[in-house]
Amino acid sequence: MKKVLVFGFICGALAVIVFHQGTLWVLYHQFPLIKAVTGAADAFRPQGPGFSLRGVPPWNVPQVVSMAFWGGLWGILLAALIRWVRIPDLMGGFVIGMVATVVAMTVVAQMKGLPMWAGGNSIAIWRAVLLNGAWGWGTAMLLRPFVLRGD
């Protein structure tokens, strides 16, 4: 249990920094190349490069720190599922990233007074799917060395 809590939180928080924010950084800085190769719409480019230090309510904590904290909590859930339900880790990580997207775009959006599903903005939804899927996959990959599948 302790292993799941500790490694789940640490790997989930690190995955926010490395995979979630790293993917956002690449999308922002390499967008002209991505657009040339894939034909992605200009609206798919993020507004900022990630790693935002802007304070978020209620305690004015930097945004990237807040996201790392929540990524750590979701990482505990993923580690527990890998340990006790024995889901395939990488696919399970991506699926947990999708669940996090659904929760963020419904429950969290309503709590913040924002429109659900980004007001129907499909580009924002797909970008969230990509970023949270990268987080989930990265968390699962970081958890692999800790062999959570044992007794």
Side-chain angles (χ1 to χ4, degrees):
M1 178 69 167
K2 185 176 172 183
K3 198 177 191 183
V4 167
L5 292 172
V6 171
F7 292 128
F9 188 85
I10 291 170
C11 291
L14 280 174
V16 167
I17 305 299
V18 175
F19 293 95
H20 184 279
Q21 294 295 287
T23 302
L24 188 62
W25 188 90
V26 168
L27 274 177
Y28 183 81
H29 287 288
Q30 298 300 320
F31 188 77
L33 176 63
I34 293 167
K35 181 180 177 180
V37 172
T38 66
D42 286 330
F44 199 74
R45 182 179 186 170
Q47 294 175 344
F51 302 102
S52 174
L53 297 178
R54 179 183 58 85
V56 293
W59 296 298
N60 210 30
V61 175
Q63 186 178 24
V64 71
V65 173
S66 175
M67 287 191 299
F69 172 77
W70 288 106
L73 294 182
W74 281 99
I76 292 170
L77 173 64
L78 177 57
L81 288 172
I82 291 171
R83 170 75 180 202
W84 293 304
V85 181
R86 301 197 188 283
I87 61 171
D89 58 353
L90 295 178
M91 180 58 78
F94 192 80
V95 169
I96 291 296
M98 298 308 95
V99 171
T101 301
V102 170
V103 170
M105 293 205 157
T106 55
V107 176
V108 176
Q110 284 192 325
M111 289 171 58
K112 290 183 173 184
L114 300 171
M116 287 179 47
W117 297 107
N121 182 345
S122 62
I123 291 176
I125 294 169
W126 281 112
R127 190 170 44 230
V129 165
L130 173 67
L131 294 172
N132 290 329
W135 166 83
W137 187 86
T139 301
M141 191 181 78
L142 291 173
L143 283 168
R144 277 187 161 185
F146 302 110
V147 190
L148 294 175
R149 294 200 186 274
D151 290 323

mmCIF file of all heavy atoms in Angstrom, residues 94-141:
data_model
loop_
_atom_site.group_PDB
_atom_site.id
_atom_site.type_symbol
_atom_site.label_atom_id
_atom_site.label_comp_id
_atom_site.label_asym_id
_atom_site.label_seq_id
_atom_site.Cartn_x
_atom_site.Cartn_y
_atom_site.Cartn_z
ATOM 1 N N PHE A 94 -2.998 5.571 -20.362
ATOM 2 C CA PHE A 94 -3.650 6.426 -21.351
ATOM 3 C C PHE A 94 -5.139 6.556 -21.042
ATOM 4 O O PHE A 94 -5.705 7.643 -21.123
ATOM 5 C CB PHE A 94 -3.429 5.876 -22.768
ATOM 6 C CG PHE A 94 -3.813 6.846 -23.839
ATOM 7 C CD1 PHE A 94 -2.954 7.877 -24.184
ATOM 8 C CD2 PHE A 94 -5.029 6.742 -24.484
ATOM 9 C CE1 PHE A 94 -3.309 8.792 -25.167
ATOM 10 C CE2 PHE A 94 -5.390 7.640 -25.460
ATOM 11 C CZ PHE A 94 -4.525 8.672 -25.808
ATOM 12 N N VAL A 95 -5.773 5.461 -20.649
ATOM 13 C CA VAL A 95 -7.207 5.482 -20.319
ATOM 14 C C VAL A 95 -7.461 6.354 -19.088
ATOM 15 O O VAL A 95 -8.422 7.130 -19.061
ATOM 16 C CB VAL A 95 -7.747 4.050 -20.123
ATOM 17 C CG1 VAL A 95 -9.145 4.055 -19.524
ATOM 18 C CG2 VAL A 95 -7.738 3.305 -21.452
ATOM 19 N N ILE A 96 -6.606 6.258 -18.068
ATOM 20 C CA ILE A 96 -6.760 7.117 -16.884
ATOM 21 C C ILE A 96 -6.588 8.585 -17.284
ATOM 22 O O ILE A 96 -7.268 9.465 -16.759
ATOM 23 C CB ILE A 96 -5.772 6.719 -15.772
ATOM 24 C CG1 ILE A 96 -6.150 5.359 -15.192
ATOM 25 C CG2 ILE A 96 -5.718 7.764 -14.662
ATOM 26 C CD1 ILE A 96 -7.489 5.327 -14.487
ATOM 27 N N GLY A 97 -5.701 8.855 -18.232
ATOM 28 C CA GLY A 97 -5.578 10.213 -18.758
ATOM 29 C C GLY A 97 -6.872 10.684 -19.401
ATOM 30 O O GLY A 97 -7.270 11.843 -19.260
ATOM 31 N N MET A 98 -7.574 9.773 -20.086
ATOM 32 C CA MET A 98 -8.864 10.121 -20.684
ATOM 33 C C MET A 98 -9.913 10.374 -19.600
ATOM 34 O O MET A 98 -10.723 11.297 -19.721
ATOM 35 C CB MET A 98 -9.367 9.006 -21.608
ATOM 36 C CG MET A 98 -8.497 8.694 -22.798
ATOM 37 S SD MET A 98 -8.078 10.134 -23.784
ATOM 38 C CE MET A 98 -6.504 10.574 -23.101
ATOM 39 N N VAL A 99 -9.892 9.553 -18.552
ATOM 40 C CA VAL A 99 -10.829 9.757 -17.439
ATOM 41 C C VAL A 99 -10.564 11.123 -16.794
ATOM 42 O O VAL A 99 -11.501 11.860 -16.472
ATOM 43 C CB VAL A 99 -10.706 8.611 -16.406
ATOM 44 C CG1 VAL A 99 -11.509 8.913 -15.144
ATOM 45 C CG2 VAL A 99 -11.152 7.294 -17.017
ATOM 46 N N ALA A 100 -9.294 11.464 -16.623
ATOM 47 C CA ALA A 100 -8.950 12.773 -16.060
ATOM 48 C C ALA A 100 -9.465 13.899 -16.956
ATOM 49 O O ALA A 100 -9.927 14.934 -16.464
ATOM 50 C CB ALA A 100 -7.441 12.887 -15.878
ATOM 51 N N THR A 101 -9.423 13.705 -18.272
ATOM 52 C CA THR A 101 -9.944 14.712 -19.203
ATOM 53 C C THR A 101 -11.447 14.880 -19.014
ATOM 54 O O THR A 101 -11.952 16.008 -18.971
ATOM 55 C CB THR A 101 -9.636 14.308 -20.660
ATOM 56 O OG1 THR A 101 -8.225 14.187 -20.817
ATOM 57 C CG2 THR A 101 -10.170 15.319 -21.640
ATOM 58 N N VAL A 102 -12.155 13.767 -18.897
ATOM 59 C CA VAL A 102 -13.610 13.829 -18.704
ATOM 60 C C VAL A 102 -13.940 14.549 -17.397
ATOM 61 O O VAL A 102 -14.815 15.424 -17.365
ATOM 62 C CB VAL A 102 -14.231 12.411 -18.729
ATOM 63 C CG1 VAL A 102 -15.686 12.443 -18.293
ATOM 64 C CG2 VAL A 102 -14.095 11.797 -20.110
ATOM 65 N N VAL A 103 -13.234 14.213 -16.323
ATOM 66 C CA VAL A 103 -13.479 14.863 -15.031
ATOM 67 C C VAL A 103 -13.170 16.358 -15.118
ATOM 68 O O VAL A 103 -13.944 17.196 -14.640
ATOM 69 C CB VAL A 103 -12.656 14.184 -13.908
ATOM 70 C CG1 VAL A 103 -12.697 14.991 -12.615
ATOM 71 C CG2 VAL A 103 -13.163 12.772 -13.674
ATOM 72 N N ALA A 104 -12.047 16.714 -15.751
ATOM 73 C CA ALA A 104 -11.670 18.122 -15.869
ATOM 74 C C ALA A 104 -12.676 18.915 -16.693
ATOM 75 O O ALA A 104 -12.989 20.066 -16.375
ATOM 76 C CB ALA A 104 -10.283 18.245 -16.482
ATOM 77 N N MET A 105 -13.187 18.295 -17.754
ATOM 78 C CA MET A 105 -14.083 19.035 -18.651
ATOM 79 C C MET A 105 -15.545 19.001 -18.216
ATOM 80 O O MET A 105 -16.371 19.657 -18.847
ATOM 81 C CB MET A 105 -13.933 18.510 -20.064
ATOM 82 C CG MET A 105 -12.581 18.807 -20.637
ATOM 83 S SD MET A 105 -12.646 18.865 -22.400
ATOM 84 C CE MET A 105 -11.230 19.855 -22.749
ATOM 85 N N THR A 106 -15.848 18.263 -17.163
ATOM 86 C CA THR A 106 -17.226 18.241 -16.665
ATOM 87 C C THR A 106 -17.272 18.748 -15.233
ATOM 88 O O THR A 106 -17.687 19.874 -14.988
ATOM 89 C CB THR A 106 -17.829 16.815 -16.761
ATOM 90 O OG1 THR A 106 -16.990 15.894 -16.074
ATOM 91 C CG2 THR A 106 -17.988 16.383 -18.210
ATOM 92 N N VAL A 107 -16.795 17.961 -14.289
ATOM 93 C CA VAL A 107 -16.894 18.294 -12.865
ATOM 94 C C VAL A 107 -16.095 19.552 -12.532
ATOM 95 O O VAL A 107 -16.623 20.503 -11.940
ATOM 96 C CB VAL A 107 -16.416 17.100 -11.999
ATOM 97 C CG1 VAL A 107 -16.429 17.459 -10.530
ATOM 98 C CG2 VAL A 107 -17.261 15.873 -12.277
ATOM 99 N N VAL A 108 -14.818 19.568 -12.898
ATOM 100 C CA VAL A 108 -13.963 20.710 -12.555
ATOM 101 C C VAL A 108 -14.428 21.976 -13.274
ATOM 102 O O VAL A 108 -14.452 23.054 -12.686
ATOM 103 C CB VAL A 108 -12.480 20.395 -12.870
ATOM 104 C CG1 VAL A 108 -11.600 21.599 -12.622
ATOM 105 C CG2 VAL A 108 -12.007 19.210 -12.038
ATOM 106 N N ALA A 109 -14.830 21.841 -14.533
ATOM 107 C CA ALA A 109 -15.314 23.005 -15.276
ATOM 108 C C ALA A 109 -16.525 23.618 -14.588
ATOM 109 O O ALA A 109 -16.618 24.849 -14.449
ATOM 110 C CB ALA A 109 -15.643 22.616 -16.713
ATOM 111 N N GLN A 110 -17.455 22.790 -14.135
ATOM 112 C CA GLN A 110 -18.632 23.313 -13.435
ATOM 113 C C GLN A 110 -18.250 23.966 -12.114
ATOM 114 O O GLN A 110 -18.812 24.995 -11.749
ATOM 115 C CB GLN A 110 -19.652 22.200 -13.195
ATOM 116 C CG GLN A 110 -20.413 21.832 -14.442
ATOM 117 C CD GLN A 110 -21.615 20.953 -14.143
ATOM 118 O OE1 GLN A 110 -21.570 20.120 -13.248
ATOM 119 N NE2 GLN A 110 -22.671 21.150 -14.901
ATOM 120 N N MET A 111 -17.293 23.387 -11.403
ATOM 121 C CA MET A 111 -16.860 23.987 -10.138
ATOM 122 C C MET A 111 -16.225 25.357 -10.353
ATOM 123 O O MET A 111 -16.337 26.238 -9.503
ATOM 124 C CB MET A 111 -15.866 23.063 -9.432
ATOM 125 C CG MET A 111 -16.509 21.807 -8.877
ATOM 126 S SD MET A 111 -15.317 20.586 -8.261
ATOM 127 C CE MET A 111 -14.433 21.509 -7.036
ATOM 128 N N LYS A 112 -15.561 25.533 -11.494
ATOM 129 C CA LYS A 112 -14.913 26.813 -11.798
ATOM 130 C C LYS A 112 -15.834 27.783 -12.529
ATOM 131 O O LYS A 112 -15.425 28.887 -12.865
ATOM 132 C CB LYS A 112 -13.667 26.562 -12.657
ATOM 133 C CG LYS A 112 -12.541 25.882 -11.917
ATOM 134 C CD LYS A 112 -11.330 25.729 -12.820
ATOM 135 C CE LYS A 112 -10.132 25.212 -12.062
ATOM 136 N NZ LYS A 112 -8.935 25.156 -12.924
ATOM 137 N N GLY A 113 -17.058 27.352 -12.835
ATOM 138 C CA GLY A 113 -17.994 28.215 -13.548
ATOM 139 C C GLY A 113 -17.692 28.325 -15.036
ATOM 140 O O GLY A 113 -18.084 29.293 -15.687
ATOM 141 N N LEU A 114 -16.987 27.336 -15.586
ATOM 142 C CA LEU A 114 -16.656 27.322 -17.006
ATOM 143 C C LEU A 114 -17.633 26.416 -17.745
ATOM 144 O O LEU A 114 -18.249 25.530 -17.139
ATOM 145 C CB LEU A 114 -15.225 26.808 -17.206
ATOM 146 C CG LEU A 114 -14.122 27.617 -16.530
ATOM 147 C CD1 LEU A 114 -12.795 26.877 -16.620
ATOM 148 C CD2 LEU A 114 -14.020 28.989 -17.160
ATOM 149 N N PRO A 115 -17.780 26.617 -19.052
ATOM 150 C CA PRO A 115 -18.684 25.735 -19.795
ATOM 151 C C PRO A 115 -18.133 24.308 -19.863
ATOM 152 O O PRO A 115 -16.929 24.105 -20.011
ATOM 153 C CB PRO A 115 -18.749 26.364 -21.189
ATOM 154 C CG PRO A 115 -17.539 27.217 -21.296
ATOM 155 C CD PRO A 115 -17.182 27.645 -19.904
ATOM 156 N N MET A 116 -19.038 23.333 -19.742
ATOM 157 C CA MET A 116 -18.621 21.937 -19.844
ATOM 158 C C MET A 116 -18.122 21.665 -21.257
ATOM 159 O O MET A 116 -18.572 22.267 -22.217
ATOM 160 C CB MET A 116 -19.789 21.010 -19.503
ATOM 161 C CG MET A 116 -20.103 21.001 -18.025
ATOM 162 S SD MET A 116 -21.478 19.948 -17.554
ATOM 163 C CE MET A 116 -21.174 18.438 -18.378
ATOM 164 N N TRP A 117 -17.184 20.728 -21.362
ATOM 165 C CA TRP A 117 -16.601 20.308 -22.635
ATOM 166 C C TRP A 117 -16.064 21.497 -23.428
ATOM 167 O O TRP A 117 -16.185 21.548 -24.637
ATOM 168 C CB TRP A 117 -17.592 19.488 -23.455
ATOM 169 C CG TRP A 117 -17.952 18.227 -22.774
ATOM 170 C CD1 TRP A 117 -19.132 17.940 -22.167
ATOM 171 C CD2 TRP A 117 -17.108 17.100 -22.562
ATOM 172 N NE1 TRP A 117 -19.070 16.692 -21.593
ATOM 173 C CE2 TRP A 117 -17.843 16.155 -21.823
ATOM 174 C CE3 TRP A 117 -15.796 16.798 -22.921
ATOM 175 C CZ2 TRP A 117 -17.314 14.926 -21.441
ATOM 176 C CZ3 TRP A 117 -15.287 15.572 -22.532
ATOM 177 C CH2 TRP A 117 -16.039 14.657 -21.802
ATOM 178 N N ALA A 118 -15.471 22.442 -22.710
ATOM 179 C CA ALA A 118 -14.843 23.620 -23.319
ATOM 180 C C ALA A 118 -15.796 24.340 -24.260
ATOM 181 O O ALA A 118 -15.394 24.883 -25.283
ATOM 182 C CB ALA A 118 -13.555 23.232 -24.031
ATOM 183 N N GLY A 119 -17.076 24.310 -23.912
ATOM 184 C CA GLY A 119 -18.074 24.989 -24.736
ATOM 185 C C GLY A 119 -18.227 24.365 -26.118
ATOM 186 O O GLY A 119 -18.657 25.020 -27.053
ATOM 187 N N GLY A 120 -17.850 23.095 -26.242
ATOM 188 C CA GLY A 120 -17.958 22.418 -27.536
ATOM 189 C C GLY A 120 -16.784 22.672 -28.468
ATOM 190 O O GLY A 120 -16.827 22.311 -29.639
ATOM 191 N N ASN A 121 -15.723 23.284 -27.948
ATOM 192 C CA ASN A 121 -14.536 23.561 -28.759
ATOM 193 C C ASN A 121 -13.757 22.257 -28.961
ATOM 194 O O ASN A 121 -13.020 21.812 -28.084
ATOM 195 C CB ASN A 121 -13.674 24.609 -28.053
ATOM 196 C CG ASN A 121 -12.437 24.987 -28.838
ATOM 197 O OD1 ASN A 121 -12.037 24.307 -29.776
ATOM 198 N ND2 ASN A 121 -11.822 26.089 -28.442
ATOM 199 N N SER A 122 -13.919 21.652 -30.131
ATOM 200 C CA SER A 122 -13.313 20.331 -30.371
ATOM 201 C C SER A 122 -11.786 20.386 -30.343
ATOM 202 O O SER A 122 -11.144 19.410 -29.943
ATOM 203 C CB SER A 122 -13.800 19.745 -31.699
ATOM 204 O OG SER A 122 -13.411 20.570 -32.775
ATOM 205 N N ILE A 123 -11.201 21.494 -30.721
ATOM 206 C CA ILE A 123 -9.740 21.599 -30.704
ATOM 207 C C ILE A 123 -9.225 21.573 -29.264
ATOM 208 O O ILE A 123 -8.253 20.887 -28.952
ATOM 209 C CB ILE A 123 -9.267 22.849 -31.460
ATOM 210 C CG1 ILE A 123 -9.539 22.643 -32.953
ATOM 211 C CG2 ILE A 123 -7.804 23.134 -31.206
ATOM 212 C CD1 ILE A 123 -9.224 23.811 -33.830
ATOM 213 N N ALA A 124 -9.908 22.283 -28.368
ATOM 214 C CA ALA A 124 -9.509 22.270 -26.957
ATOM 215 C C ALA A 124 -9.678 20.870 -26.369
ATOM 216 O O ALA A 124 -8.852 20.419 -25.564
ATOM 217 C CB ALA A 124 -10.329 23.283 -26.163
ATOM 218 N N ILE A 125 -10.730 20.180 -26.769
ATOM 219 C CA ILE A 125 -10.958 18.817 -26.272
ATOM 220 C C ILE A 125 -9.848 17.891 -26.749
ATOM 221 O O ILE A 125 -9.266 17.147 -25.954
ATOM 222 C CB ILE A 125 -12.343 18.307 -26.718
ATOM 223 C CG1 ILE A 125 -13.448 19.128 -26.040
ATOM 224 C CG2 ILE A 125 -12.490 16.820 -26.399
ATOM 225 C CD1 ILE A 125 -14.845 18.886 -26.609
ATOM 226 N N TRP A 126 -9.516 17.934 -28.037
ATOM 227 C CA TRP A 126 -8.471 17.044 -28.565
ATOM 228 C C TRP A 126 -7.097 17.361 -27.974
ATOM 229 O O TRP A 126 -6.303 16.467 -27.719
ATOM 230 C CB TRP A 126 -8.414 17.091 -30.088
ATOM 231 C CG TRP A 126 -9.502 16.265 -30.685
ATOM 232 C CD1 TRP A 126 -10.588 16.714 -31.380
ATOM 233 C CD2 TRP A 126 -9.625 14.838 -30.623
ATOM 234 N NE1 TRP A 126 -11.385 15.653 -31.739
ATOM 235 C CE2 TRP A 126 -10.819 14.489 -31.294
ATOM 236 C CE3 TRP A 126 -8.866 13.824 -30.057
ATOM 237 C CZ2 TRP A 126 -11.247 13.168 -31.417
ATOM 238 C CZ3 TRP A 126 -9.296 12.522 -30.184
ATOM 239 C CH2 TRP A 126 -10.471 12.206 -30.855
ATOM 240 N N ARG A 127 -6.838 18.645 -27.740
ATOM 241 C CA ARG A 127 -5.566 19.008 -27.112
ATOM 242 C C ARG A 127 -5.501 18.458 -25.689
ATOM 243 O O ARG A 127 -4.479 17.929 -25.254
ATOM 244 C CB ARG A 127 -5.379 20.529 -27.132
ATOM 245 C CG ARG A 127 -3.977 20.940 -26.714
ATOM 246 C CD ARG A 127 -3.681 22.409 -26.938
ATOM 247 N NE ARG A 127 -4.743 23.278 -26.533
ATOM 248 C CZ ARG A 127 -5.265 24.249 -27.292
ATOM 249 N NH1 ARG A 127 -4.822 24.453 -28.508
ATOM 250 N NH2 ARG A 127 -6.231 25.005 -26.833
ATOM 251 N N ALA A 128 -6.618 18.540 -24.949
ATOM 252 C CA ALA A 128 -6.667 17.990 -23.591
ATOM 253 C C ALA A 128 -6.482 16.476 -23.610
ATOM 254 O O ALA A 128 -5.786 15.913 -22.753
ATOM 255 C CB ALA A 128 -7.989 18.357 -22.919
ATOM 256 N N VAL A 129 -7.093 15.809 -24.581
ATOM 257 C CA VAL A 129 -6.931 14.360 -24.714
ATOM 258 C C VAL A 129 -5.461 14.017 -24.950
ATOM 259 O O VAL A 129 -4.916 13.099 -24.330
ATOM 260 C CB VAL A 129 -7.826 13.817 -25.851
ATOM 261 C CG1 VAL A 129 -7.431 12.414 -26.259
ATOM 262 C CG2 VAL A 129 -9.290 13.864 -25.439
ATOM 263 N N LEU A 130 -4.815 14.750 -25.835
ATOM 264 C CA LEU A 130 -3.398 14.506 -26.125
ATOM 265 C C LEU A 130 -2.532 14.732 -24.883
ATOM 266 O O LEU A 130 -1.707 13.880 -24.528
ATOM 267 C CB LEU A 130 -2.923 15.416 -27.266
ATOM 268 C CG LEU A 130 -1.431 15.385 -27.565
ATOM 269 C CD1 LEU A 130 -1.033 14.026 -28.117
ATOM 270 C CD2 LEU A 130 -1.071 16.489 -28.542
ATOM 271 N N LEU A 131 -2.719 15.850 -24.210
ATOM 272 C CA LEU A 131 -1.884 16.182 -23.048
ATOM 273 C C LEU A 131 -2.116 15.225 -21.885
ATOM 274 O O LEU A 131 -1.160 14.742 -21.269
ATOM 275 C CB LEU A 131 -2.144 17.622 -22.611
ATOM 276 C CG LEU A 131 -1.728 18.700 -23.604
ATOM 277 C CD1 LEU A 131 -2.207 20.065 -23.143
ATOM 278 C CD2 LEU A 131 -0.235 18.698 -23.840
ATOM 279 N N ASN A 132 -3.381 14.930 -21.589
ATOM 280 C CA ASN A 132 -3.661 14.029 -20.467
ATOM 281 C C ASN A 132 -3.323 12.582 -20.810
ATOM 282 O O ASN A 132 -2.926 11.808 -19.933
ATOM 283 C CB ASN A 132 -5.117 14.166 -20.019
ATOM 284 C CG ASN A 132 -5.358 15.497 -19.348
ATOM 285 O OD1 ASN A 132 -4.475 16.055 -18.709
ATOM 286 N ND2 ASN A 132 -6.551 16.031 -19.494
ATOM 287 N N GLY A 133 -3.454 12.217 -22.071
ATOM 288 C CA GLY A 133 -3.020 10.883 -22.494
ATOM 289 C C GLY A 133 -1.508 10.740 -22.362
ATOM 290 O O GLY A 133 -1.008 9.708 -21.911
ATOM 291 N N ALA A 134 -0.771 11.796 -22.724
ATOM 292 C CA ALA A 134 0.687 11.779 -22.559
ATOM 293 C C ALA A 134 1.049 11.671 -21.083
ATOM 294 O O ALA A 134 1.971 10.934 -20.710
ATOM 295 C CB ALA A 134 1.309 13.041 -23.164
ATOM 296 N N TRP A 135 0.317 12.391 -20.234
ATOM 297 C CA TRP A 135 0.559 12.289 -18.785
ATOM 298 C C TRP A 135 0.340 10.857 -18.304
ATOM 299 O O TRP A 135 1.174 10.298 -17.590
ATOM 300 C CB TRP A 135 -0.354 13.241 -17.998
ATOM 301 C CG TRP A 135 -0.339 12.888 -16.560
ATOM 302 C CD1 TRP A 135 0.583 13.271 -15.629
ATOM 303 C CD2 TRP A 135 -1.217 11.980 -15.889
ATOM 304 N NE1 TRP A 135 0.308 12.663 -14.424
ATOM 305 C CE2 TRP A 135 -0.792 11.868 -14.567
ATOM 306 C CE3 TRP A 135 -2.330 11.246 -16.286
ATOM 307 C CZ2 TRP A 135 -1.439 11.062 -13.637
ATOM 308 C CZ3 TRP A 135 -2.975 10.447 -15.372
ATOM 309 C CH2 TRP A 135 -2.528 10.365 -14.056
ATOM 310 N N GLY A 136 -0.802 10.264 -18.662
ATOM 311 C CA GLY A 136 -1.120 8.917 -18.184
ATOM 312 C C GLY A 136 -0.122 7.883 -18.659
ATOM 313 O O GLY A 136 0.335 7.024 -17.899
ATOM 314 N N TRP A 137 0.232 7.966 -19.942
ATOM 315 C CA TRP A 137 1.209 7.036 -20.496
ATOM 316 C C TRP A 137 2.550 7.222 -19.789
ATOM 317 O O TRP A 137 3.218 6.252 -19.424
ATOM 318 C CB TRP A 137 1.349 7.268 -21.998
ATOM 319 C CG TRP A 137 2.199 6.266 -22.667
ATOM 320 C CD1 TRP A 137 1.819 5.054 -23.155
ATOM 321 C CD2 TRP A 137 3.608 6.382 -22.923
ATOM 322 N NE1 TRP A 137 2.894 4.412 -23.696
ATOM 323 C CE2 TRP A 137 4.006 5.197 -23.567
ATOM 324 C CE3 TRP A 137 4.563 7.352 -22.668
ATOM 325 C CZ2 TRP A 137 5.317 4.980 -23.957
ATOM 326 C CZ3 TRP A 137 5.868 7.135 -23.053
ATOM 327 C CH2 TRP A 137 6.229 5.958 -23.688
ATOM 328 N N GLY A 138 2.941 8.469 -19.589
ATOM 329 C CA GLY A 138 4.215 8.753 -18.916
ATOM 330 C C GLY A 138 4.233 8.282 -17.478
ATOM 331 O O GLY A 138 5.239 7.748 -17.000
ATOM 332 N N THR A 139 3.116 8.452 -16.775
ATOM 333 C CA THR A 139 3.040 7.976 -15.394
ATOM 334 C C THR A 139 3.222 6.465 -15.343
ATOM 335 O O THR A 139 3.994 5.941 -14.533
ATOM 336 C CB THR A 139 1.689 8.361 -14.752
ATOM 337 O OG1 THR A 139 1.551 9.788 -14.785
ATOM 338 C CG2 THR A 139 1.603 7.881 -13.320
ATOM 339 N N ALA A 140 2.517 5.761 -16.229
ATOM 340 C CA ALA A 140 2.626 4.298 -16.266
ATOM 341 C C ALA A 140 4.052 3.869 -16.592
ATOM 342 O O ALA A 140 4.576 2.921 -15.999
ATOM 343 C CB ALA A 140 1.646 3.727 -17.281
ATOM 344 N N MET A 141 4.683 4.574 -17.523
ATOM 345 C CA MET A 141 6.057 4.228 -17.882
ATOM 346 C C MET A 141 7.014 4.476 -16.712
ATOM 347 O O MET A 141 7.895 3.658 -16.438
ATOM 348 C CB MET A 141 6.504 5.030 -19.099
ATOM 349 C CG MET A 141 7.808 4.536 -19.676
ATOM 350 S SD MET A 141 8.338 5.485 -21.091
ATOM 351 C CE MET A 141 8.993 6.909 -20.291
#
